[in-house]
Amino acid sequence: MDSVDIQADLTKVLHTEAEIHTRIAAMAREIEADYPGENLLLVGVLKGAVMVMADLARELKLPINMDWMAVSSYGAGTQSSGVVRILKDLDSDLSGRNVLIVEDIIDSGLTLTWLLGNLRSRGAASVEICALFRKPLAAKVVVDVRYVGFEIPNDFVVGYGLDFDERYRNLRDVAVLAPHVYS
Ligand code: PRP
């Protein structure tokens, strides 16, 4: 789905599909330089990270493995609470592995802070984070992120895996959702 197909639902395109692909390619070059010849394990966090995982994994000129986790924050409302529950755990044993968590967005930072601690307690050689988007103005905790694609404003954004009420994940661009859609 293209932004033009749902123009009335959006106020602004923040990053086009082409810009995202260019940035992911640059991040892949950094990752290749940091993990020469390593058998890296990419851990995607469902569901938002599906698109970035698919594009980053194919862009990397490295042998990699892919695994997935699904987590959910406890608590009411749409805000992350920081108390996280595992809905689907990894299939892989992390002992001695170099792990790269692949995320679509860091908002409050609470989910990734928890995830980093959880995966680091499993005996991995290293655990780092690659996030396509980060909202600095929404941060409640500072997360140690090795690779960040774009810093974006604290707006309601959708597309490229990011949803509102499970919609818009298949939008190619990342765009700001019009207030009339969610208010
Ligand atoms: C989003 C995103 C991160 C988390 C970031 O997932 O993919 O996992 O929120 O928020 P935080 O920094 O405030 O903790 P969400 O819970 O919306 O699930 P989804 O990936 O299935 O859309």
Side-chain angles (χ1 to χ4, degrees):
M1 183 165 76
D2 296 305
S3 297
V4 70
D5 299 323
I6 51 162
Q7 229 165 0
D9 289 4
L10 308 174
T11 54
K12 181 182 175 186
V13 174
L14 274 185
H15 292 288
T16 63
E17 180 183 33
E19 287 168 359
I20 292 168
H21 286 165
T22 300
R23 186 70 191 108
I24 286 178
M27 292 164 85
R29 301 294 86 79
E30 282 183 60
I31 294 166
E32 289 158 6
D34 291 346
Y35 297 90
E38 309 271 1
N39 191 359
L40 191 59
L41 175 64
L42 301 183
V43 170
V45 186
L46 295 167
K47 301 167 194 165
V50 165
M51 307 299 179
V52 59
M53 181 74 149
D55 284 338
L56 178 67
R58 286 179 295 178
E59 184 62 39
L60 282 169
K61 302 176 200 304
L62 281 178
I64 54 123
N65 297 140
M66 294 161 80
D67 204 344
W68 300 91
M69 272 186 94
V71 297
S72 163
S73 270
Y74 281 113
T78 54
Q79 297 282 305
S80 190
S81 65
V83 184
V84 176
R85 155 173 83 108
I86 296 176
L87 302 177
K88 184 227 170 284
D89 207 348
L90 298 172
D91 297 327
S92 319
D93 177 4
L94 299 192
S95 308
R97 300 297 306 268
N98 287 304
V99 176
L100 184 60
I101 301 170
V102 178
E103 259 289 23
D104 50 343
I105 191 163
I106 303 175
D107 207 312
S108 69
L110 295 170
T111 304
L112 268 172
T113 297
W114 180 89
L115 199 57
L116 205 51
N118 182 281
L119 298 192
R120 281 183 172 158
S121 72
R122 301 189 196 193
S126 67
V127 184
E128 300 292 345
I129 297 169
C130 174
L132 185 57
F133 298 105
R134 178 165 62 183
K135 287 181 173 174
L137 293 178
K140 290 189 180 150
V141 285
V142 177
V143 191
D144 180 17
V145 192
R146 182 101 168 240
Y147 311 96
V148 181
F150 301 96
E151 299 210 320
I152 58 172
N154 194 13
D155 294 324
F156 204 131
V157 294
V158 293
Y160 201 74
L162 296 162
D163 74 308
F164 166 64
D165 202 16
E166 297 300 328
R167 295 156 63 201
Y168 306 105
R169 291 194 198 272
N170 63 324
L171 175 63
R172 292 178 182 276
D173 305 324
V174 163
V176 178
L177 195 61
H180 74 81
V181 178
Y182 56 87
S183 56

